[in-house]
Amino acid sequence: MKDVQDLLAAALVGTSRSTPPVHAGTLLSEPLNAIQGDPEGVLLSRAALAGAVECAGRRAAPLQHDVPTPAPVDTLPEAPARVARHLPIVVNTPVVNEWLQLCAQTGWRIPHSALPGLLDLARFDTTLRVNLRPVLGERSMWLASLNPDWRFNATTFSEDAWLTATEAQKEGLFRDLREKTPDAARDLLTQHFKTEKAGARKRLLSVLQDTWTDEDATLEPLLEDALTDRSREVQELARVLLQSLPGSAYNARMTERVAGMLQQEKVGLLGKLLGKQKVSLHLPETLDADAGRDGLTAIDPHKRVALDRFRELIQNTHPQALADALHLTPEQLSGLIQALGAADQLRWATLATRHVPTANVLQPCYPDDLALLQISAPETIAGRIGTHLQGQPDASHLLTLLSVLPGAWPVDLSEQVLNVIHGQVSRANQHQNDYRWEAVMQNAAHHAHPHASTAPLPPQEDSDDYHATYLRLRYAAMLRLLEQRRLMHDDFQEARIHTDLKGETP
């Protein structure tokens, strides 16, 4: 310490007005005095030596926290180098989600070296979190739990973790448990739901709504109890979930109310001969005992409008439950409800329950309704896109239709879209140019099937045409990304085959 202070004093005076000090009485005196040369060099060299010795000899500061438990051993094998080589290329692009999904499908985990970067990205990207969670591995989860910014992924469930978790952490724990062991998640919900706070109950039912499956029908008693929950938001979520169960007691009560409102009217001779039926609406005098818990509004004695109550019932009942109770096909049910003036409410019920048969029936009535098209059968959506591609497709409308197509595009549809794009780029010039096709190309680059055939970059007749040049550049970029995705898929396939041949458990 004395050597450093002597050197600091000399430095403050300046080498032009003093000479480097002569050290004495310390362990470093001899090596420091041995350094010779110009004054500035001697002062700096001695300071470097004395400073290094002082830092090296300092005792480590005592720990302020308990030593963390050792990281557990990973049970998932690390993604092979053949597929991991793509990760640095795609990590900051939308293709990273595709890489993570392929990794999860093959049963591998991400390399540890890529973990910090991906967890940092997932802080602001909830979609990435969903795809990242299945490929983290135990050691990555352990590391994420040590960083407050990464704890959204620290979702290893345990009873202790549940009891000490915040509402947001419980949502993450429950979502993770739903993915890994749905039966255990249902048991957890049954055991803890009533004792949770309203905010947590709302979050848990929201997760249930996002991840609903037919097996969740066993939770109907819990949801029935939640119809009288202290929180109105929890009540509403419970009703929505019960509505999605065609065979639930809730839907039975609602369909009974609908049937009670329908009154068969007499028809004339011609109507009888043609087999026509006439149905009118009859409003009951009072509400039944369960109407309040089922969320129905009270009947206003001064404003008794049967149609309002009928629409309320249709909007909150599963279409399949209605069809079954009234012994009608989806087509007949749709025709009856449209004739009575509640078509929009049937549409809302179809969207809420994602009932595909009714969505298909309603398509002609709502040809431009993308929400309805989105829950239609994928073949229906692909057929609409294929029809639009005939003739002269509009780029904006094509983009809209493609946006509702779930998952990766089929090979044949991908090739149709790519051929149309190629035609547009080939014809582009200063007189015939549509920049909206650039957005179609970006969409195709990320969603077209990676093994779909593509046409090469078309030649350009007028090299000075800026518009044509620009679209060709975008087309070339699309081809490069499609090629990159194809290589990525091929490497996953080859690496998987190699792993299977070696007998390794993926």
Side-chain angles (χ1 to χ4, degrees), residues 209-280:
Q209 186 179 18
D210 293 342
T211 58
W212 184 262
T213 65
D214 292 343
E215 288 73 22
D216 294 324
T218 57
L219 293 172
E220 184 180 352
L222 180 147
L223 297 172
E224 277 284 338
D225 287 343
L227 291 178
T228 55
D229 194 278
R230 298 185 299 277
S231 165
R232 289 188 177 276
E233 291 176 306
V234 173
Q235 291 177 16
E236 186 57 33
L237 279 169
R239 288 189 197 101
V240 171
L241 289 167
L242 286 170
Q243 184 187 359
S244 65
L245 272 175
S248 67
Y250 167 85
N251 275 314
R253 295 192 294 270
M254 297 295 276
T255 54
E256 185 177 354
R257 292 168 186 136
V258 171
M261 290 192 67
L262 301 177
Q263 198 166 44
Q264 198 78 28
E265 300 287 342
K266 292 181 179 179
V267 296
L269 180 60
L270 181 60
K272 289 181 179 177
L273 292 174
L274 295 175
K276 290 187 175 179
Q277 294 183 340
K278 184 178 180 181
V279 178
S280 63

Side-chain angles (χ1 to χ4, degrees), residues 11-83:
L12 290 173
V13 174
T15 53
S16 63
R17 291 186 291 177
S18 69
T19 58
V22 177
H23 303 274
T26 65
L27 294 174
L28 286 178
S29 298
E30 185 176 350
L32 289 174
N33 291 330
I35 298 174
Q36 300 296 325
D38 61 274
E40 292 81 7
V42 169
L43 189 65
L44 291 174
S45 298
R46 291 183 182 182
L49 176 58
V53 171
E54 184 177 347
C55 290
R58 181 179 298 171
R59 287 186 176 182
L63 288 173
Q64 300 296 319
H65 306 285
D66 295 336
V67 177
T69 56
V73 177
D74 280 316
T75 55
L76 294 176
E78 182 174 302
R82 180 163 188 167
V83 300

Side-chain angles (χ1 to χ4, degrees), residues 93-410:
T93 74
V95 184
V96 68
N97 284 304
E98 189 173 3
W99 189 97
L100 293 173
Q101 289 167 2
L102 289 170
C103 189
Q105 289 168 10
T106 46
W108 294 325
R109 61 170 171 79
I110 58 172
H112 292 150
S113 59
L115 181 65
L118 287 169
L119 287 175
D120 276 339
L121 287 175
R123 291 173 58 193
F124 311 102
D125 187 344
T126 54
T127 303
L128 185 61
R129 293 182 195 179
V130 173
N131 291 319
L132 186 59
R133 193 171 290 123
V135 295
L136 280 177
E138 287 80 357
R139 186 169 297 184
S140 300
M141 298 288 282
W142 169 85
L143 181 61
S145 69
L146 300 178
N147 186 337
D149 290 338
W150 297 343
R151 283 181 183 167
F152 53 83
N153 270 313
T155 53
T156 302
F157 176 80
S158 69
E159 283 292 337
D160 291 341
W162 182 265
L163 294 176
T164 58
T166 64
E167 290 181 1
Q169 289 171 336
K170 285 182 178 178
E171 179 183 343
L173 287 167
F174 184 58
R175 192 179 292 276
D176 186 59
L177 200 60
R178 289 275 297 171
E179 291 177 3
K180 294 177 179 175
T181 51
D183 289 339
R186 283 188 281 270
D187 291 342
L188 173 76
L189 194 67
T190 304
Q191 182 182 353
H192 290 279
F193 184 76
K194 288 184 177 179
T195 59
E196 296 295 336
K197 293 182 179 178
R201 295 198 301 275
K202 179 185 172 187
R203 285 174 180 270
L204 295 176
L205 290 190
S206 296
V207 173
L208 200 59
Q209 186 179 18
D210 293 342
T211 58
W212 184 262
T213 65
D214 292 343
E215 288 73 22
D216 294 324
T218 57
L219 293 172
E220 184 180 352
L222 180 147
L223 297 172
E224 277 284 338
D225 287 343
L227 291 178
T228 55
D229 194 278
R230 298 185 299 277
S231 165
R232 289 188 177 276
E233 291 176 306
V234 173
Q235 291 177 16
E236 186 57 33
L237 279 169
R239 288 189 197 101
V240 171
L241 289 167
L242 286 170
Q243 184 187 359
S244 65
L245 272 175
S248 67
Y250 167 85
N251 275 314
R253 295 192 294 270
M254 297 295 276
T255 54
E256 185 177 354
R257 292 168 186 136
V258 171
M261 290 192 67
L262 301 177
Q263 198 166 44
Q264 198 78 28
E265 300 287 342
K266 292 181 179 179
V267 296
L269 180 60
L270 181 60
K272 289 181 179 177
L273 292 174
L274 295 175
K276 290 187 175 179
Q277 294 183 340
K278 184 178 180 181
V279 178
S280 63
L281 296 176
H282 168 72
L283 185 66
E285 293 292 332
T286 58
L287 291 174
D288 59 82
D290 292 319
R293 65 196 296 264
D294 287 343
L296 297 180
T297 55
I299 297 176
D300 185 350
H302 303 293
K303 188 180 178 183
R304 292 164 52 83
V305 181
L307 182 58
D308 291 346
R309 172 49 48 90
F310 182 71
R311 286 173 172 170
E312 185 179 18
L313 291 172
I314 296 299
Q315 183 167 330
N316 293 285
T317 309
H318 196 296
Q320 187 60 56
L322 278 173
D324 292 342
L326 300 176
H327 307 290
L328 299 173
T329 65
E331 292 81 2
Q332 292 170 330
L333 177 70
S334 175
L336 173 64
I337 291 178
Q338 287 183 53
L340 292 172
D344 288 345
Q345 286 68 35
L346 180 62
R347 171 186 169 274
W348 280 111
T350 303
L351 294 176
T353 57
R354 302 187 67 79
H355 191 238
V356 175
T358 308
N360 290 335
V361 170
L362 291 177
Q363 277 293 316
C365 306
Y366 300 91
D368 298 324
D369 192 322
L370 293 177
L372 206 56
L373 180 62
Q374 195 167 20
I375 62 172
S376 301
E379 307 82 55
T380 302
I381 303 174
R384 284 280 300 275
I385 296 173
T387 302
H388 182 70
L389 290 174
Q390 306 298 322
Q392 295 182 341
D394 176 76
S396 296
H397 191 56
L398 178 59
L399 269 176
T400 304
L401 291 174
L402 290 172
S403 68
V404 300
L405 187 64
W409 302 352

